[in-house]
Amino acid sequence: MIRRKQLWWLVALACACGGNEEAAPTPETPGTATPTAPAAPEPIVPQVCTGDEHTCVLKPTGEVLCAGRNLDGQLGDGTGQTRWAWTPVVGISDAKSLACGMSHTCVLRRSGEVSCWGRNEHGQLGAGNTDVTHTPVAVAGLSGVAQIDAGAGYTCARLAAGTVSCWGEGGNGRLGNGSNDDKMAPTPVAGLADVAEISLGRAHACARKNDGSVHCWGANSSWQLGQGEENRRDSTAPVAIAGVTATGIGAGGNHSCAITAAGLSCWGQNDAGQIGNGEGGSQVYAKTPAVATGVTGATAVALGARRTCAIVANGEVKCWGYNNYTAELLGVGSREGNVLAPTAVQGMTGAARMDTGDDHACAFNAAGALHCWGAAGHGRLGNGSPARLAAASAVVPNIAGLTGTASVMPTFEAAEGELTLQPGLAIGSNEVCGIKADGRVFCFGENNGGRLGIGSTRANASDSQTHVVGISDAVQVATGLGRSCALRRNGTVACWGQLGGDVEVSHPIPMEGFTGVKSIAVGGSAGGMILCAVLGDGTVSCAGENHGGQLGRGTRGNYESAPAAVTGLTDIAQVRVGVDATCARQTSGKVFCWGSGSRGQLGNGATQASPSPVEVTGISDATDLGGGSYNYCAARRGGAVSCWGSNEDGQIANGKAGRENDASTPSAIRAVRGVSRMGDTTDSMCVTLANGEGRCWGANDFGQTGSGDAETDDVMAPVTYKRDDVAVTALGNIVHMGCGWNFCCAMHAEGGVSCAGSTPIGGSGGFLGISNRRSATPIAAPGLVFATAAPEAAAAAE
């Protein structure tokens, strides 16, 4: 990935290649010429590359298999679903080397051409565009390549002629072409010739020339360019590293290393001890090359964000730097947070090639076994387990025998059915979803975990034309914490995002077992989904997290992927799912809840959990349910509202705030009358009134209640969601509202949307939403119109 010296000159590992003996001369026939035998193909050496959270391996056959996180298609298997087992890259059987960036991957093919796949927001795939691809695409205009490497959002190739070309993100000058601009096609690095090796770091790169000199360019905030005390400036062109004559190089997060005759020298950031000179700590740097102690006979060096590893004599591997205390990410037998001296990796001998990510590392031995150690989350080690490895372990016993099952991208042809559109907004923690008039689902906001369903983790603005992949017959969309689901016209369900049970996917996949559904609700924690459906017979069926009895089966247990009926519930009209509890409304107006009651969210006067439905106290006339997070509200006949659950930010609107004021029974929200519809809620609450206005209360740290007040953190009485802005006024009356973590939005009569707070309108989320467009009064979401009625109803109205 962003940090390795690939031993491209190594002799091939032992394999049944044949052709090692010289053939005996063939007698010539007089008068005929002896035909020239075609040159034997260059043997392929097994290789491994490690991305941020994925790993790829190259077989001696030229095939490539990958495992791990795949939300941006970095595994190249044709999907955006994370894989816990090795899966083949589509269409690659002639690779001779490979490189992993943070979330993209590239291969050098026998032809000397390069193909890449995965994340592409800066053009790092070199295809002349910024489209994410789940399968390999050719790098435009590039041939005669001898070596490739990939970094954070950019890629470089060393040509056989000794020059270097780079493409992708240009920030900090990392492309080395004299500018900071992104490039979607290969661009020569300025002034570099006679190059023998390249290595890419997070935002800087280095090259070794045939004379052993080392030249680096790009970011230099941590002195990773090694220019000394007085020069901490980024460089858009290569600069020479004084006093270093190298046989191998590596570039990491913010440090660099070179193998020299004397051992190993490193420079740059040293906060975790990644320089290997026994020092470390905040604001500690090696501003010029420093010797890593105890490293002799190094044949390869691999760098992560804050770690360094080297293959030394006899194939031993030594690592040092960031170790994350008890996680033992370096595999060296230490539980120290940082390991300041090069230390042998346990269980690893005979290493021939290796690479390291930020938290995991892998190495091939001479027999073709792949050993890995460190973090295993998201399936990155291909062994089906999330358990980290504190010592090197053989995750692939023999690379020649490794096979994988080809992945299949789900398709959703528009289905016939009787269900009709249920218009409205579905609002998650940092995203908003709705249904367009043509049945497509559109989501905007931040996209961590693939929650927008667009086949990548790229943020989506309200005026984007990128829709949820493949769905064209949606009648309802529901959103929870990091995931969303669509109910299709035929009563089946498809979901995307963080689905729990080790399933995460950036595009819709069908939810097996959910059929005959008439409405859905989605919730759960960050680690696992709860999906509940009201069926045509008035019962409720749920699947997902169940440690607190959230599935209503009368028992607590582990994640349940198969749906099953909620115990004893019939005649249900609506269901709402929060983080750890669920509530359902009967057609009679009664409400029942189950799951955790720690915040009073069951509404029965208790704070104990119940794995079976309990009746909410005093509610027998509910006409609509709102909720999410740790709160629920019921609109009642006559237009009043009652809420229960958490009151940490004044959600109960009784003049108090704080956990000690949680409400375990429904509390009437005073000063709110004429309520027509409820919506999704978090720590902020909004309702729609029959007269087309909105009222909001609760958390207001970002001005999300929309009243123009950005100073009051907790609004403990309903305030008017303003429509004073000309663009918002033009959208018409409010027909539905809901709130995310730090924003609230309204859908208006003609399908337009407005939002207040730290709004996701521009697509970016950032830390605590601070990179979003913020406003304490509602602003219109440009370029967006959701359907407000089913097409047949709209036609009848006309």
Side-chain angles (χ1 to χ4, degrees), residues 17-20 37-43 110:
C17 298
N20 291 328
E42 178 186 354
R110 283 189 182 274

Side-chain angles (χ1 to χ4, degrees), residues 332-362:
V332 298
S334 170
R335 290 196 167 190
E336 295 295 323
N338 298 317
V339 175
L340 305 185
T343 307
V345 173
Q346 296 181 336
M348 189 70 242
T349 58
R353 279 177 176 253
M354 75 164 295
D355 195 13
T356 182
D358 293 346
D359 298 315
H360 76 293
C362 296

Side-chain angles (χ1 to χ4, degrees), residues 590-618:
K590 291 184 178 182
V591 177
F592 296 83
C593 299
W594 58 94
S596 174
S598 61
R599 308 299 300 274
Q601 57 265 57
L602 301 188
N604 65 340
T607 55
Q608 289 78 35
S610 176
S612 299
V614 296
E615 186 173 349
V616 174
T617 302

Side-chain angles (χ1 to χ4, degrees), residues 12-250:
L13 302 183
C15 63
C17 298
N20 291 328
E21 297 182 4
E22 185 178 349
T26 301
E28 292 186 14
T29 301
T32 63
T34 303
T36 302
E42 178 186 354
I44 295 173
V45 180
Q47 297 174 37
V48 60
C49 71
T50 54
D52 193 22
E53 294 178 293
H54 77 289
T55 306
C56 295
V57 292
L58 170 62
K59 296 181 62 174
T61 59
E63 299 167 284
V64 176
L65 294 93
C66 299
R69 205 162 205 193
N70 193 32
L71 300 178
D72 289 292
Q74 55 262 55
L75 302 190
D77 70 337
T79 78
Q81 184 170 348
T82 291
R83 303 294 175 183
W84 290 75
W86 299 103
T87 184
V89 175
V90 175
I92 298 295
S93 59
D94 60 346
K96 63 178 184 178
S97 68
L98 77 172
C100 294
M102 289 185 69
S103 298
H104 77 290
T105 311
C106 297
V107 293
L108 172 59
R109 311 182 81 152
R110 283 189 182 274
S111 63
E113 297 174 315
V114 176
S115 293
C116 299
W117 57 91
R119 194 165 182 170
N120 193 33
E121 73 273 36
H122 298 288
Q124 57 261 48
L125 303 188
N129 57 53
T130 57
D131 300 334
V132 169
T133 69
H134 300 146
T135 56
V137 293
V139 175
L142 195 63
S143 60
V145 177
Q147 183 202 354
I148 56 173
D149 205 359
Y154 71 119
T155 313
C156 293
R158 178 178 61 86
L159 307 186
T163 59
V164 176
S165 287
C166 298
W167 57 96
E169 184 174 358
N172 306 104
R174 70 190 73 181
L175 300 185
N177 63 354
S179 81
N180 293 304
D181 298 334
D182 291 359
K183 298 293 181 182
M184 295 184 289
T187 304
V189 174
L192 267 188
D194 197 34
V195 174
E197 182 188 4
I198 57 173
S199 182
L200 273 59
R202 181 189 62 81
H204 78 290
C206 294
R208 175 179 62 86
K209 292 190 174 185
N210 282 311
D211 63 5
S213 62
V214 177
H215 305 257
C216 301
W217 61 94
N220 193 36
S221 60
S222 299
W223 285 278
Q224 56 264 54
L225 303 188
Q227 298 301 295
E229 176 74 35
E230 302 303 320
N231 189 346
R232 201 180 183 180
R233 297 183 300 276
D234 296 348
S235 178
T236 60
V239 293
I241 310 301
V244 172
T245 301
T247 58
I249 56 172

Side-chain angles (χ1 to χ4, degrees), residues 228-435:
E229 176 74 35
E230 302 303 320
N231 189 346
R232 201 180 183 180
R233 297 183 300 276
D234 296 348
S235 178
T236 60
V239 293
I241 310 301
V244 172
T245 301
T247 58
I249 56 172
N254 292 309
H255 71 298
S256 312
C257 293
I259 300 172
T260 68
L264 184 71
S265 292
C266 299
W267 56 94
Q269 189 174 30
N270 198 25
D271 62 325
Q274 57 264 52
I275 300 301
N277 62 350
E279 300 177 2
S282 177
Q283 303 302 312
V284 176
Y285 305 93
K287 300 173 184 178
T288 57
V291 174
T293 58
V295 179
T296 58
T299 58
V301 61
L303 279 60
R306 301 169 64 208
R307 53 159 44 182
T308 308
C309 295
I311 300 177
V312 295
N314 300 319
E316 182 182 46
V317 176
K318 291 187 175 183
C319 293
W320 58 99
Y322 178 65
N323 192 46
N324 195 23
Y325 297 97
T326 57
E328 301 177 77
L329 297 178
L330 292 178
V332 298
S334 170
R335 290 196 167 190
E336 295 295 323
N338 298 317
V339 175
L340 305 185
T343 307
V345 173
Q346 296 181 336
M348 189 70 242
T349 58
R353 279 177 176 253
M354 75 164 295
D355 195 13
T356 182
D358 293 346
D359 298 315
H360 76 293
C362 296
F364 272 114
N365 66 15
L370 180 69
H371 290 71
C372 297
W373 59 96
H378 302 290
R380 73 190 75 177
L381 303 186
N383 62 351
S385 172
R388 57 126 178 109
L389 299 177
S393 177
V395 297
V396 178
N398 185 347
I399 184 62
L402 180 64
T403 60
T405 302
S407 303
V408 178
M409 180 75 163
T411 57
F412 301 92
E413 293 187 9
E416 297 296 326
E418 298 180 355
L419 298 180
T420 58
L421 176 70
Q422 301 175 39
L425 298 178
I427 300 182
S429 54
N430 295 292
E431 70 276 10
V432 179
C433 296
I435 299 173

